[in-house]
PDB file of all heavy atoms in Angstrom:
ATOM      1  N   ALA A  26     141.468  92.921 131.498  1.00  0.00           N
ATOM      2  CA  ALA A  26     140.327  92.000 131.363  1.00  0.00           C
ATOM      3  C   ALA A  26     139.126  92.729 130.779  1.00  0.00           C
ATOM      4  O   ALA A  26     138.414  92.198 129.914  1.00  0.00           O
ATOM      5  CB  ALA A  26     139.974  91.398 132.722  1.00  0.00           C
ATOM      6  N   ALA A  27     138.895  93.967 131.220  1.00  0.00           N
ATOM      7  CA  ALA A  27     137.746  94.735 130.721  1.00  0.00           C
ATOM      8  C   ALA A  27     137.916  95.055 129.237  1.00  0.00           C
ATOM      9  O   ALA A  27     136.979  94.978 128.451  1.00  0.00           O
ATOM     10  CB  ALA A  27     137.571  96.014 131.531  1.00  0.00           C
ATOM     11  N   SER A  28     139.142  95.400 128.848  1.00  0.00           N
ATOM     12  CA  SER A  28     139.385  95.762 127.448  1.00  0.00           C
ATOM     13  C   SER A  28     139.239  94.560 126.527  1.00  0.00           C
ATOM     14  O   SER A  28     138.840  94.687 125.374  1.00  0.00           O
ATOM     15  CB  SER A  28     140.787  96.325 127.258  1.00  0.00           C
ATOM     16  OG  SER A  28     140.994  97.350 128.167  1.00  0.00           O
ATOM     17  N   GLU A  29     139.592  93.387 127.056  1.00  0.00           N
ATOM     18  CA  GLU A  29     139.507  92.190 126.228  1.00  0.00           C
ATOM     19  C   GLU A  29     138.074  91.724 125.993  1.00  0.00           C
ATOM     20  O   GLU A  29     137.793  91.060 125.007  1.00  0.00           O
ATOM     21  CB  GLU A  29     140.259  91.041 126.935  1.00  0.00           C
ATOM     22  CG  GLU A  29     141.634  90.802 126.362  1.00  0.00           C
ATOM     23  CD  GLU A  29     142.440  89.877 127.287  1.00  0.00           C
ATOM     24  OE1 GLU A  29     141.884  88.852 127.729  1.00  0.00           O
ATOM     25  OE2 GLU A  29     143.615  90.225 127.562  1.00  0.00           O
ATOM     26  N   ALA A  30     137.185  92.079 126.927  1.00  0.00           N
ATOM     27  CA  ALA A  30     135.795  91.584 126.828  1.00  0.00           C
ATOM     28  C   ALA A  30     135.180  92.026 125.501  1.00  0.00           C
ATOM     29  O   ALA A  30     135.325  93.170 125.092  1.00  0.00           O
ATOM     30  CB  ALA A  30     134.964  92.117 127.992  1.00  0.00           C
ATOM     31  N   SER A  31     134.513  91.054 124.842  1.00  0.00           N
ATOM     32  CA  SER A  31     133.981  91.374 123.515  1.00  0.00           C
ATOM     33  C   SER A  31     132.493  91.725 123.558  1.00  0.00           C
ATOM     34  O   SER A  31     131.938  92.259 122.615  1.00  0.00           O
ATOM     35  CB  SER A  31     134.217  90.198 122.573  1.00  0.00           C
ATOM     36  OG  SER A  31     133.637  89.040 123.150  1.00  0.00           O
ATOM     37  N   ASP A  32     131.832  91.380 124.659  1.00  0.00           N
ATOM     38  CA  ASP A  32     130.409  91.744 124.761  1.00  0.00           C
ATOM     39  C   ASP A  32     130.023  91.937 126.223  1.00  0.00           C
ATOM     40  O   ASP A  32     130.847  91.714 127.124  1.00  0.00           O
ATOM     41  CB  ASP A  32     129.533  90.671 124.093  1.00  0.00           C
ATOM     42  CG  ASP A  32     129.814  89.283 124.647  1.00  0.00           C
ATOM     43  OD1 ASP A  32     130.331  89.193 125.785  1.00  0.00           O
ATOM     44  OD2 ASP A  32     129.528  88.280 123.963  1.00  0.00           O
ATOM     45  N   SER A  33     128.805  92.342 126.444  1.00  0.00           N
ATOM     46  CA  SER A  33     128.335  92.634 127.806  1.00  0.00           C
ATOM     47  C   SER A  33     128.508  91.457 128.747  1.00  0.00           C
ATOM     48  O   SER A  33     128.843  91.619 129.915  1.00  0.00           O
ATOM     49  CB  SER A  33     126.859  93.008 127.794  1.00  0.00           C
ATOM     50  OG  SER A  33     126.684  94.206 127.132  1.00  0.00           O
ATOM     51  N   LYS A  34     128.281  90.273 128.180  1.00  0.00           N
ATOM     52  CA  LYS A  34     128.329  89.090 129.035  1.00  0.00           C
ATOM     53  C   LYS A  34     129.754  88.848 129.551  1.00  0.00           C
ATOM     54  O   LYS A  34     129.965  88.655 130.754  1.00  0.00           O
ATOM     55  CB  LYS A  34     127.848  87.882 128.217  1.00  0.00           C
ATOM     56  CG  LYS A  34     127.705  86.620 129.027  1.00  0.00           C
ATOM     57  CD  LYS A  34     126.879  85.576 128.262  1.00  0.00           C
ATOM     58  CE  LYS A  34     126.901  84.233 128.965  1.00  0.00           C
ATOM     59  NZ  LYS A  34     128.025  83.380 128.534  1.00  0.00           N
ATOM     60  N   SER A  35     130.739  88.894 128.636  1.00  0.00           N
ATOM     61  CA  SER A  35     132.120  88.628 129.095  1.00  0.00           C
ATOM     62  C   SER A  35     132.637  89.793 129.939  1.00  0.00           C
ATOM     63  O   SER A  35     133.452  89.592 130.849  1.00  0.00           O
ATOM     64  CB  SER A  35     133.046  88.327 127.906  1.00  0.00           C
ATOM     65  OG  SER A  35     132.916  89.308 126.918  1.00  0.00           O
ATOM     66  N   LEU A  36     132.131  90.994 129.709  1.00  0.00           N
ATOM     67  CA  LEU A  36     132.529  92.123 130.547  1.00  0.00           C
ATOM     68  C   LEU A  36     132.031  91.924 131.981  1.00  0.00           C
ATOM     69  O   LEU A  36     132.733  92.157 132.953  1.00  0.00           O
ATOM     70  CB  LEU A  36     131.969  93.426 129.962  1.00  0.00           C
ATOM     71  CG  LEU A  36     132.346  94.703 130.713  1.00  0.00           C
ATOM     72  CD1 LEU A  36     133.869  94.899 130.738  1.00  0.00           C
ATOM     73  CD2 LEU A  36     131.677  95.922 130.084  1.00  0.00           C
ATOM     74  N   TYR A  37     130.797  91.428 132.064  1.00  0.00           N
ATOM     75  CA  TYR A  37     130.213  91.165 133.381  1.00  0.00           C
ATOM     76  C   TYR A  37     131.007  90.086 134.106  1.00  0.00           C
ATOM     77  O   TYR A  37     131.315  90.192 135.302  1.00  0.00           O
ATOM     78  CB  TYR A  37     128.753  90.744 133.216  1.00  0.00           C
ATOM     79  CG  TYR A  37     128.084  90.407 134.508  1.00  0.00           C
ATOM     80  CD1 TYR A  37     127.663  91.420 135.384  1.00  0.00           C
ATOM     81  CD2 TYR A  37     127.875  89.070 134.892  1.00  0.00           C
ATOM     82  CE1 TYR A  37     127.056  91.110 136.582  1.00  0.00           C
ATOM     83  CE2 TYR A  37     127.266  88.757 136.094  1.00  0.00           C
ATOM     84  CZ  TYR A  37     126.857  89.780 136.933  1.00  0.00           C
ATOM     85  OH  TYR A  37     126.260  89.460 138.139  1.00  0.00           O
ATOM     86  N   GLU A  38     131.399  89.043 133.350  1.00  0.00           N
ATOM     87  CA  GLU A  38     132.178  87.966 133.969  1.00  0.00           C
ATOM     88  C   GLU A  38     133.520  88.484 134.482  1.00  0.00           C
ATOM     89  O   GLU A  38     133.965  88.137 135.576  1.00  0.00           O
ATOM     90  CB  GLU A  38     132.405  86.832 132.954  1.00  0.00           C
ATOM     91  CG  GLU A  38     131.149  85.985 132.764  1.00  0.00           C
ATOM     92  CD  GLU A  38     131.172  85.141 131.489  1.00  0.00           C
ATOM     93  OE1 GLU A  38     132.215  85.172 130.755  1.00  0.00           O
ATOM     94  OE2 GLU A  38     130.154  84.487 131.225  1.00  0.00           O
ATOM     95  N   ALA A  39     134.142  89.350 133.691  1.00  0.00           N
ATOM     96  CA  ALA A  39     135.422  89.938 134.116  1.00  0.00           C
ATOM     97  C   ALA A  39     135.227  90.762 135.394  1.00  0.00           C
ATOM     98  O   ALA A  39     135.995  90.652 136.355  1.00  0.00           O
ATOM     99  CB  ALA A  39     135.985  90.820 133.001  1.00  0.00           C
TER     100      ALA A  39
END
Side-chain angles (χ1 to χ4, degrees):
S28 308
E29 259 168 46
S31 56
D32 54 22
S33 293
K34 186 165 171 271
S35 50
L36 182 60
Y37 178 77
E38 284 162 3

